Amino acid sequence: MDTIPLNTAKKHEFSSSGRLLMLQSLVPVATNLISSQLEAFSSRLTDALFKVSDQTVQPEEAAKSFGAYQLLKRNPSTFYRLLASQISAILTKEVSIINTRRKYTETHDAKDFSLVTFEEMENKVLSNNLIKALEVNNAEKLVELNSRIGLALNRTPISVSQNPFRPEVFVNAVVQSWQEFESVQETPRLILSLMQPDLFLQLGTVYQGLNDALHERGVVVDTDAVKRENKKRHTPVSDRKHESGDPYLENKLRSIFSANAQKIGQTGQGAPVRNAAGEAGSGQSMSWSGSSLAGQGEEGMAAAPEMVMIDRHFFDYLTGLQKQLFQNQPADDRTYLRRLSQEAPAAELTHIDQNTIELLARIFDYVFNDPSIPEEIKSLIGQLQIPTLKVALLDKDFFFKESHPARVLIDTLAKSSVSLGQDASNEDPLYQMIEGIVDRVQQDFDQQIELFSNVVADLEAFLKEEEQQAEQAISEPVAQALQQEKMRLAREFAENDVAIRVETGEVAGFLEEFLRNQWIRILTIAHNVKEEKPNALENALRTMDDLIWSLKPKNSPEERKELVSKLPAMLTLLNAWLNAIKWDEPERVLFFSKLAERHAAIARAPLEFSPRRQLEIAVNIAQRASEKKLNRQVSDQSEQLPDPWLPVLEKMERGIWLDFMSSSGVINRFKLAWVSPKRTRYIFTNRKGYDSFSISSEELLAQLRTGDAVEVSASSIVDRALVEALRDPPA
């Protein structure tokens, strides 16, 4: 079995001073990368200024641009020096205040615009346009740099506004340098008006250099995840508006919440409702407005109303029940919603209210029946039934949008609890975090839906911190697994090196056995160290080729003479390589005995083979070559038989959970913490990164096939619950 337990690496964190020193060390990196571009940048700016002076129809602008052109053309080194110095100074300042970024930003932005001149405002607009364009053009590398700096500071990924190397810094440095370079006040506006990303400093090179520098300093991030996050951030909002995306389910939901059959809100005094942003609505009637429901549905289907009334008394009844349940903290009761539809005053339940309660009760039933969620967490999630009902009554987007805050909370609670397994303990920090979130929602939620976003952010920050600690804990196992994968790939290359030579049919039987059993080990080592010692691989391949050549028939005296002259050096190298792999068995003596016999026979052979003998040798070689190739084709075809579990393995990503069954029948849950670059090795750990083990792709595939490893579903539980609930929708 190719399952290898690994020791957990020691946790390592940068000290506060170490983090600051690391960021300070990036300032000369960025300054040097900018300095290497200054000549080309100055040339582009000079050409642009001359073009304006030559083409503009305004004499004053032509004079200013021509004067700036002449000044820059005559004194480029002065501009270089000013700009390099300004960039170094401003970057040093930015790095020094990164730990107080919020305070700095607030005081920096608190400017009295009543004292700003029109020229200053115009410069600000031009500067902002350039900054935004640079941020978009370098978005991917900027997001990666944000992640690396956040990791170096032991924070979540910072925003662009907190990045000390953001485009704004370089734009301001250029403007300030030009102001020092030339005292004419109107010229900075002229310079900014010319600036476009292709004319400006090439910041992509700078950000790549900074990312590489942090990588070399041990700040490693998942670049694929960064690209996915960047793509998600730049997806147009219109494309994400309806996230459920299933027209069939959406039509079912529309029909369930259609109020055309019954107009609601016959009785009771209304109360204002807050929207998803927490803003109070106007008017006296309680209402919800859902953009998903507004407008005309499919042809032949009545459109849902843009606003549905909610009875004030019923909502107050729910609020009272929520407070009562929080204060009394009753024993595990998962039937609140079922009882509510029976016990609530009949006059206060509308058609839509009843459908909402029934649909939500089915969703919670599905959650309670999910075997992957610990029972203790199901009890906590059950305490969210009344607050979630209030949300669903206020905002029907809960059913339509995956990104609805309350829906995200239930999904995140369910997904995070998977890591606890069935042995969840109230002493576990994650359990305590979930319990605190549930208590907060029960106690504080009234109509402010943004509360759900806040608690989700807190939970995600907690999980992010745990994940970072786990990544540090597996640093040593990852290094071991990378070495194992490197050795495995080296072995595959070595096997291929031998195979292509054996398939020619010219390799003697005893030599073929030697190459496949012993020389492959030598070639594996040579391939493994070829980056550090490229001559080793070249030497091993040449020695193998010389050995094969030495046993081929020699048809002329010249070839036999060449053999005799090469043998001593070849045998010396051969013995040196075999000593390196410590092959000291009796088989080594036998091999060299056979080798000596063959060499002697070749040397004593007739001076020239007859044409018939040469033909026989050629036919035998061709026949052996054909057999070797045919055998390899058959072997390759058998290995290429479709395996239905292979796509499952290939789609596995970091973060998923699997239940592994031990030989004694005990089920243990582990997270896929790391996948090797070639997907040949997988590392699984518990939630905190301990009890890690490394497993090969073949072994994991075998366990998936036999059912000894089963993936725990990680898809949105509310999505799955909604699909199941709508199989038989409420009337």
Side-chain angles (χ1 to χ4, degrees):
M1 177 174 176
D2 192 13
T3 304
I4 304 172
L6 300 172
N7 295 326
T8 304
K10 293 181 180 180
K11 181 178 178 181
H12 172 74
E13 292 184 355
F14 296 109
S15 63
S16 298
S17 59
R19 298 181 196 121
L20 183 58
L21 288 172
M22 179 184 292
L23 292 182
Q24 288 174 343
S25 71
L26 298 179
V27 173
V29 174
T31 304
N32 291 337
L33 289 169
I34 289 295
S35 298
S36 66
Q37 301 183 30
L38 291 181
E39 184 176 355
F41 170 57
S42 177
S43 176
R44 293 195 297 271
L45 183 56
T46 302
D47 292 343
L49 287 168
F50 179 78
K51 186 177 292 185
V52 170
S53 67
D54 186 50
Q55 296 179 355
T56 184
V57 295
Q58 300 178 11
E60 184 178 357
E61 184 177 9
K64 290 177 182 177
S65 58
F66 188 73
Y69 156 73
Q70 287 186 316
L71 180 64
L72 183 57
K73 188 174 181 63
R74 289 196 302 266
N75 305 284
S77 59
T78 303
F79 182 62
Y80 300 167
R81 186 175 64 256
L82 285 172
L83 182 52
S85 175
Q86 188 68 241
I87 286 176
S88 179
I90 197 169
L91 288 179
T92 301
K93 179 181 178 182
E94 287 288 331
V95 168
S96 68
I97 62 175
I98 189 169
N99 287 323
T100 56
R101 168 62 58 196
R102 179 174 297 180
K103 180 179 179 181
Y104 171 77
T105 302
E106 289 172 355
T107 56
H108 180 73
D109 291 342
K111 189 172 182 179
D112 185 1
F113 283 97
S114 64
L115 303 179
V116 175
T117 65
F118 176 79
E119 288 76 13
E120 289 177 313
M121 292 184 65
E122 189 174 12
N123 287 350
K124 185 69 174 176
V125 171
L126 291 171
S127 177
N128 285 340
N129 290 341
L130 175 59
I131 291 168
K132 294 299 181 185
L134 292 170
E135 288 179 358
V136 171
N137 284 7
N138 300 283
E140 187 173 303
K141 293 176 182 177
L142 259 177
V143 171
E144 182 180 345
L145 185 59
N146 292 343
S147 300
R148 291 188 189 274
I149 293 177
L151 185 59
L153 294 174
N154 199 23
R155 303 179 187 171
T156 55
I158 62 173
S159 64
V160 173
S161 64
Q162 295 173 306
N163 191 327
F165 303 95
R166 62 194 182 279
E168 176 190 3
V169 171
F170 296 100
V171 172
N172 290 341
V174 169
V175 173
Q176 292 172 25
S177 300
W178 186 267
Q179 288 174 337
E180 288 187 52
F181 183 59
E182 185 184 32
S183 59
V184 181
Q185 292 186 352
E186 293 82 357
T187 313
R189 182 184 61 80
L190 173 63
I191 297 299
L192 282 171
S193 67
L194 293 175
M195 290 295 176
Q196 297 295 329
D198 56 345
L199 186 148
F200 195 71
L201 298 166
Q202 301 305 296
L203 298 185
T205 304
V206 178
Y207 293 136
Q208 184 61 54
L210 293 173
N211 279 312
D212 292 343
L214 285 172
H215 182 84
E216 291 173 359
R217 290 161 173 76
V219 183
V220 181
V221 299
D222 185 348
T223 53
D224 291 336
V226 168
K227 291 178 181 178
R228 290 194 297 270
E229 179 64 22
N230 180 56
K231 183 177 180 181
K232 180 179 178 182
R233 289 184 181 189
H234 290 84
T235 301
V237 175
S238 59
D239 293 344
R240 303 198 302 260
K241 187 174 181 180
H242 299 294
E243 298 179 36
S244 58
D246 189 334
Y248 179 70
L249 295 181
E250 189 168 327
N251 286 339
K252 279 191 173 184
L253 286 170
R254 287 178 182 274
S255 63
I256 290 171
F257 297 126
S258 174
N260 287 346
Q262 300 183 33
K263 287 293 181 182
I264 316 300
Q266 303 95 326
T267 63
Q269 184 177 352
V273 174
R274 296 182 183 275
N275 59 22
E279 301 167 345
S282 59
Q284 297 298 315
S285 59
M286 291 197 73
S287 61
W288 60 265
S289 62
S291 59
S292 299
L293 300 178
Q296 184 68 29
E298 287 197 355
E299 186 177 352
M301 189 185 87
E306 292 188 8
M307 190 165 289
V308 175
M309 311 302 293
I310 303 173
D311 189 274
R312 168 68 178 268
H313 295 301
F314 179 50
F315 200 85
D316 288 345
Y317 170 76
L318 292 178
T319 301
L321 180 59
Q322 176 183 330
K323 292 179 179 179
Q324 178 185 350
L325 293 174
F326 174 71
Q327 292 170 355
N328 296 335
Q329 291 294 334
D332 185 13
D333 188 349
R334 304 175 185 178
T335 61
Y336 297 147
L337 295 178
R338 295 292 181 195
R339 296 205 319 269
L340 183 63
S341 60
Q342 301 171 1
E343 297 174 0
E348 295 176 0
L349 284 179
T350 68
H351 168 71
I352 290 181
D353 292 341
Q354 292 171 341
N355 283 349
T356 302
I357 294 172
E358 174 61 24
L359 192 55
L360 199 59
R362 295 184 184 186
I363 290 175
F364 274 97
D365 286 345
Y366 188 91
V367 173
F368 297 145
N369 291 327
D370 192 310
S372 65
I373 304 176
E375 292 300 319
E376 293 81 358
I377 303 301
K378 289 178 182 178
S379 300
L380 292 176
I381 294 176
Q383 296 174 31
L384 296 177
Q385 291 177 84
I386 300 304
T388 307
L389 174 59
K390 291 169 65 177
V391 171
L393 291 171
L394 291 170
D395 185 4
K396 290 300 183 292
D397 273 351
F398 173 85
F399 297 103
F400 286 86
K401 290 187 177 180
E402 294 178 9
S403 60
H404 192 282
R407 183 163 166 175
V408 171
L409 175 60
I410 296 175
D411 278 336
T412 308
L413 290 176
K415 185 176 181 179
S416 63
S417 70
V418 167
S419 64
L420 291 169
Q422 295 304 323
D423 299 326
S425 166
N426 56 11
E427 297 180 358
D428 190 294
L430 176 56
Y431 179 93
Q432 294 173 357
M433 183 71 183
I434 293 175
E435 186 178 39
I437 285 175
V438 171
D439 288 346
R440 182 179 172 188
V441 172
Q442 280 187 295
Q443 183 177 13
D444 297 346
F445 176 69
D446 183 23
Q447 301 173 23
Q448 66 284 21
I449 297 178
E450 74 276 8
L451 173 64
F452 288 87
S453 297
N454 294 338
V455 296
V456 167
D458 291 343
L459 179 56
E460 288 179 341
F462 175 86
L463 296 173
K464 179 73 172 179
E465 183 177 354
E466 275 201 338
E467 184 179 351
Q468 290 175 348
Q469 294 173 357
E471 287 182 358
Q472 293 174 353
I474 65 169
S475 58
E476 184 178 333
V478 165
Q480 293 180 17
L482 283 172
Q483 183 58 39
Q484 290 166 352
E485 179 173 78
K486 185 179 179 183
M487 186 62 74
R488 170 175 172 160
L489 294 175
R491 175 80 182 191
E492 291 178 0
F493 286 129
E495 289 174 347
N496 184 65
D497 290 337
V498 171
I500 60 177
R501 287 162 173 82
V502 168
E503 285 179 0
T504 62
E506 297 178 305
V507 179
F510 82 99
L511 179 57
E512 178 181 344
E513 182 181 356
F514 167 78
L515 295 178
R516 291 191 183 278
N517 294 331
Q518 306 306 329
W519 205 255
I520 274 181
R521 296 166 56 194
I522 292 171
L523 289 173
T524 299
I525 296 173
H527 275 289
N528 192 46
V529 300
K530 69 178 181 180
E531 294 178 1
E532 300 85 7
K533 301 178 180 179
N535 292 335
L537 178 60
E538 182 181 344
N539 183 290
L541 291 172
R542 185 173 62 250
T543 303
M544 176 173 60
D545 290 335
D546 287 346
L547 182 59
I548 294 172
W549 170 84
S550 73
L551 294 179
K552 292 180 181 179
K554 303 296 181 282
N555 296 330
S556 66
E558 290 77 12
E559 289 181 338
R560 293 184 178 91
K561 185 177 180 181
E562 184 181 2
L563 171 64
V564 172
S565 64
K566 281 187 174 182
L567 274 179
M570 185 193 72
L571 293 175
T572 300
L573 282 174
L574 190 60
N575 275 293
W577 277 114
L578 294 175
N579 289 337
I581 63 171
K582 298 180 180 179
W583 187 45
D584 297 325
E585 292 85 353
E587 289 83 357
R588 177 170 175 173
V589 176
L590 182 60
F591 169 74
F592 275 98
S593 176
K594 290 183 179 179
L595 191 61
E597 290 177 5
R598 286 296 183 95
H599 286 155
I602 293 173
R604 292 195 302 266
L607 292 180
E608 291 188 9
F609 290 112
S610 65
R612 179 174 181 178
R613 178 57 181 158
Q614 292 182 27
L615 179 60
E616 288 176 354
I617 292 173
V619 170
N620 288 336
I621 290 174
Q623 184 176 359
R624 288 199 300 269
S626 178
E627 291 176 354
K628 299 289 185 185
K629 291 179 180 178
L630 181 60
N631 290 337
R632 188 174 187 184
Q633 289 175 359
V634 171
S635 176
D636 291 344
Q637 288 176 358
S638 63
E639 292 177 358
Q640 293 173 1
L641 291 176
D643 187 336
W645 286 100
L646 190 57
V648 176
L649 182 65
E650 292 175 344
K651 291 179 182 178
M652 284 187 176
E653 295 183 354
R654 293 175 57 183
I656 68 168
W657 289 83
L658 270 72
D659 283 338
F660 288 88
M661 181 177 291
S662 65
S663 56
S664 59
V666 178
I667 295 178
N668 297 300
R669 183 166 294 173
F670 291 96
K671 179 178 73 172
L672 178 55
W674 181 84
V675 181
S676 67
K678 300 296 184 181
R679 302 188 72 88
T680 65
R681 298 210 69 84
Y682 298 76
I683 291 180
F684 289 87
T685 71
N686 64 10
R687 191 178 86 242
K688 297 183 179 179
Y690 303 113
D691 298 333
S692 60
F693 65 91
S694 172
I695 185 172
S696 70
S697 56
E698 293 85 0
E699 179 62 21
L700 181 55
L701 193 61
Q703 293 200 29
L704 289 170
R705 195 181 296 118
T706 59
D708 291 335
V710 179
E711 183 177 347
V712 180
S713 178
S715 60
S716 165
I717 194 168
V718 178
D719 283 358
R720 289 181 278 133
L722 198 55
V723 171
E724 186 64 28
L726 291 175
R727 291 184 186 277
D728 180 24

